[in-house]
Amino acid sequence: AMMQILSERKEKLQQEGIFDKLKTPLPFLPNRIGVITSITGAVIQDIIHRINDRCPSHILIWPVTVQGENAASSIVAAVDGFNQLAQNIKPDVIIVARGGGSIEDLWAFNEEIVVRSVFNSKIPVISAVGHEVDNTLIDLVADKRAPTPTAAAEFVVPVISNLTYMINSYNDSLLSRINQMIKYHQQAIGY
């Protein structure tokens, strides 16, 4: 019965063009990352740990219920709430996350009000619900789908050591090129 409801809901939303939303690119180096999840599970710790390992960033956590009858409205309040924050504290990207589970456990992420809230978000949203095999309707409307919550943390920030290496490499190339140009112009004027 749940699969039938899910199929009908998906078809209805697809006919409305909800899933055809133009995907917003994720910011390369966000100043603030909003995370919508339960604060009692391992998911939040995994996300915080992975972000801090890769590129420590300011993380705003909006605790929600991720399962049960109040979960959908809790998730909608969080997505809408992040979008309504003042510009100077608004996150640059939102991760909506939950660990794996049965279709019943993940049902809140298939609710129409949640799908519409993610669709209407002006902030890019990463759906990080469940594990690789789990699929929900917000996966189809989010700007990016992560196979796991930990992967979402990897998508949202680069590895700082890689950035440092790249910047140093560009700096070395630039200095080398400047020195070459100086030598060329010195020879040209007979210095």
Side-chain angles (χ1 to χ4, degrees):
M2 292 185 93
M3 293 305 289
Q4 180 65 30
I5 293 168
L6 183 61
S7 177
E8 290 170 3
R9 185 173 294 157
K10 181 179 178 182
E11 187 174 324
K12 173 189 171 196
L13 293 169
Q14 197 159 14
Q15 286 177 355
E16 287 182 34
I18 295 283
F19 303 134
D20 299 332
K21 170 187 168 187
L22 193 61
K23 306 298 183 188
T24 304
L26 302 180
F28 176 68
L29 196 57
N31 289 320
R32 286 172 300 282
I33 301 162
V35 179
I36 298 171
T37 193
S38 169
I39 57 170
T40 60
V43 166
I44 190 61
Q45 296 307 318
D46 291 345
I47 290 172
I48 291 169
H49 178 73
R50 188 56 55 116
I51 288 172
N52 286 334
D53 277 354
R54 292 173 64 88
C55 183
S57 302
H58 188 102
I59 302 170
L60 303 169
I61 301 168
W62 197 302
V64 295
T65 304
V66 293
Q67 184 174 331
E69 71 179 64
N70 296 324
S73 60
S74 180
I75 296 162
V76 168
V79 173
D80 294 350
F82 271 141
N83 276 275
Q84 293 167 4
L85 289 176
Q87 196 62 40
N88 62 331
I89 59 172
K90 186 182 290 192
D92 301 308
V93 62
I94 298 171
I95 298 172
V96 179
R98 188 210 190 282
S102 67
I103 189 170
E104 293 87 358
D105 294 340
L106 304 178
W107 193 254
F109 302 94
N110 290 315
E111 291 288 354
E112 189 171 334
I113 60 170
V114 175
V115 173
R116 290 186 187 281
S117 179
V118 170
F119 175 80
N120 291 322
S121 178
K122 300 297 181 216
I123 303 169
V125 176
I126 300 173
S127 172
V129 178
H131 300 299
E132 179 65 44
V133 296
D134 297 318
N135 292 294
T136 62
L137 293 181
I138 72 161
D139 293 340
L140 302 173
V141 74
D143 296 291
K144 180 116 180 122
R145 178 192 182 264
T148 64
T150 304
E154 293 172 359
F155 290 160
V156 81
V157 291
V159 178
I160 196 75
S161 60
N162 292 351
L163 282 179
T164 303
Y165 175 80
M166 189 171 61
I167 289 170
N168 288 337
S169 176
Y170 288 151
N171 185 51
D172 292 346
S173 294
L174 180 62
L175 289 176
S176 175
R177 183 70 178 130
I178 288 171
N179 285 330
Q180 288 174 354
M181 290 185 72
I182 289 172
K183 286 179 184 176
Y184 171 78
H185 287 292
Q186 284 177 335
Q187 290 174 351
I189 60 172
Y191 190 96

